[in-house]
Amino acid sequence: MPDTGYARTPEHARPPEAPRPPAYTPGSAQPRLNRPVRERYPQIRATSGYGDPRIRHTGPGPGAGTEQEPERSSKLSARLALALTVVIGQLWGLTIVVDEWMAGDTGTAWWGAGFLVLSFLVVLGLWAVDPKDR
């Protein structure tokens, strides 16, 4: 075995230990914000929340997040689906009208423009059906 120049003592036999990462990762230029959470907020304890007598209400209250008017929600969803269908039809119609116009077939392009106006009037009618939903 070749001589490496190291003495054969136990402290040189082991590889050096890698430095340990800090318990927290600093992410701010302000040193006061780089302290661990327990140092920044000493008033927060492990029992904060469920065992803290200062906390009386934990949320917005009973019934929050549930649908209060399911009929209105379904009506608005149906109207939205119909309006999106009309908008997709308008985009398709606009593509056809521009293709026909560029090809020189202006008669078909005018019929297509009439279709686009009619579909816009359908969306306008959907908007005017129930003014209290706005």
Side-chain angles (χ1 to χ4, degrees):
M1 187 162 160
D3 186 21
T4 58
Y6 290 109
R8 296 180 186 232
T9 59
E11 59 263 7
H12 289 294
R14 289 183 285 141
E17 291 184 20
R20 292 184 180 174
Y24 57 93
T25 306
S28 175
Q30 301 176 16
R32 66 181 181 82
L33 297 177
N34 290 332
R35 297 177 295 154
V37 175
R38 290 181 188 175
E39 291 178 21
R40 281 186 285 165
Y41 304 105
Q43 71 273 20
I44 297 178
R45 296 179 306 276
T47 59
S48 289
Y50 65 89
D52 197 339
R54 296 174 293 176
I55 297 175
R56 295 195 181 123
H57 303 289
T58 59
T66 60
E67 184 58 51
Q68 302 295 326
E69 297 179 60
E71 296 85 11
R72 181 175 182 267
S73 176
S74 63
K75 184 169 51 172
L76 290 176
S77 296
R79 215 182 291 168
L80 178 66
L82 189 58
L84 287 174
T85 304
V86 170
V87 167
I88 290 171
Q90 284 179 331
L91 291 173
W92 171 77
L94 184 62
T95 303
I96 299 299
V97 166
V98 169
D99 284 345
E100 293 299 320
W101 185 269
M102 297 302 277
D105 190 5
T106 57
T108 306
W110 282 112
W111 278 106
F115 167 77
L116 293 175
V117 169
L118 182 65
S119 63
F120 175 75
L121 292 175
V122 167
V123 171
L124 196 60
L126 288 173
W127 178 75
V129 166
D130 201 0
K132 71 177 179 138
D133 278 339
R134 282 183 237 125

